[in-house]
Amino acid sequence: MKFFIDTANLKDIQEAYDLGVLDGVTTNPSLMAKEGISGHDNVMAHYKAICDIVDGDISAEVIAVDYEGIIREGEMLAELHPNIVVKVPMIKDGVKAIKYFSEKGIKTNCTLIFSAGQALLAAKAGATYVSPFVGRLDDVGTDGMSLIEQIVQIYSNYGFQTQVLAASVRHVIHLLQCAEVGADVVTCPLNVITSLLNHPLTDSGLAKFLADHKKVNI
């Protein structure tokens, strides 16, 4: 399973990369705004800075919601770097644009997936990734993990090459459940990734080893 970090914060991206487990990055306009990145040139420069850190797929989201606008923005983003994946919303014109991009060899990430039917349409159109939102479904009383499992099964049934990128992954349990049901990718904040390091028995065991070592080396 691939680990992507869901942020536009360069420090967090660098830390995850230095850990040696980072495969890619997902971003969106909200994450850019959170870092105070605004204006077309600044946003483009920030995407380039992310690509300079991570040698992996970097999802960059279009703002347009009409077919021509999505194509225009997507082609511009794809020209920034070979690792850019054009992030497109799950809407009718978005699906049409994904088909266009797939025929042009431009990688895509269909975002805001909340049903298996949406994921099926995106895969039929040739999406490189689909992003079902686990946490947001949980927020409205729906089992987000069941959707991940369902999409994985459907793609397996028919041999779709589209990768299931589990998004809105908020804690370690989400991440491990995604691994159990076969998600290809999880994207999450840095703290979720680093939380995998932690266990109280590891801490207490290390403390005992160090204490015993100190005793025999007095």
Side-chain angles (χ1 to χ4, degrees):
M1 184 174 68
K2 298 177 185 176
F3 282 12
F4 286 8
I5 188 170
D6 192 37
T7 186
N9 184 284
L10 296 181
K11 182 180 177 182
D12 284 356
I13 293 169
Q14 186 69 59
E15 184 175 344
Y17 179 78
D18 290 344
L19 189 60
V21 299
L22 190 64
D23 299 294
V25 179
T26 55
T27 63
N28 59 48
S30 297
L31 292 172
M32 284 287 187
K34 185 178 179 180
E35 299 304 317
I37 310 298
S38 62
H40 176 268
D41 291 345
N42 290 332
V43 170
M44 295 301 107
H46 202 75
Y47 282 134
K48 289 182 180 178
I50 293 172
C51 291
D52 287 341
I53 298 172
V54 181
D55 184 18
D57 284 347
I58 314 296
S59 285
E61 189 163 348
V62 299
I63 306 300
V65 293
D66 64 289
Y67 177 75
E68 289 78 10
I70 294 170
I71 297 302
R72 183 172 57 252
E73 288 184 31
E75 290 183 330
M76 178 182 60
L77 288 168
E79 288 176 359
L80 286 175
H81 194 279
N83 290 353
I84 290 290
V85 176
V86 179
K87 200 172 182 182
V88 179
M90 169 38 71
I91 55 176
K92 185 176 181 180
D93 279 2
V95 173
K96 289 169 62 179
I98 288 168
K99 180 64 174 177
Y100 171 87
F101 289 135
S102 69
E103 291 174 347
K104 297 291 184 180
I106 295 173
K107 294 177 287 188
T108 55
N109 176 358
C110 189
T111 190
L112 294 172
I113 296 286
F114 292 99
S115 74
Q118 291 176 327
L120 184 56
L121 280 176
K124 289 281 289 180
T128 311
Y129 299 95
V130 292
S131 289
F133 281 51
V134 177
R136 293 195 195 181
L137 282 168
D138 288 354
D139 289 344
V140 296
T142 302
D143 184 2
M145 203 55 59
S146 292
L147 176 60
I148 302 295
E149 189 171 12
Q150 188 178 19
I151 297 170
V152 168
Q153 182 62 59
I154 290 171
Y155 285 5
S156 176
N157 286 349
Y158 298 102
F160 285 116
Q161 298 302 304
T162 301
Q163 297 182 55
V164 180
L165 192 164
S168 191
V169 171
R170 296 176 177 170
H171 46 68
V172 168
I173 294 174
H174 272 164
L175 190 154
L176 294 177
Q177 287 176 330
C178 285
E180 288 175 351
V181 301
D184 299 289
V185 189
V186 292
T187 188
C188 55
L190 176 63
N191 70 293
V192 177
I193 296 173
T194 56
S195 290
L196 292 170
L197 294 164
N198 302 329
H199 196 285
L201 292 178
T202 301
D203 297 338
S204 62
L206 181 59
K208 186 177 187 308
F209 292 156
L210 294 175
D212 289 344
H213 176 75
K214 186 176 181 179
K215 289 176 185 177
V216 299
N217 284 277
I218 293 175

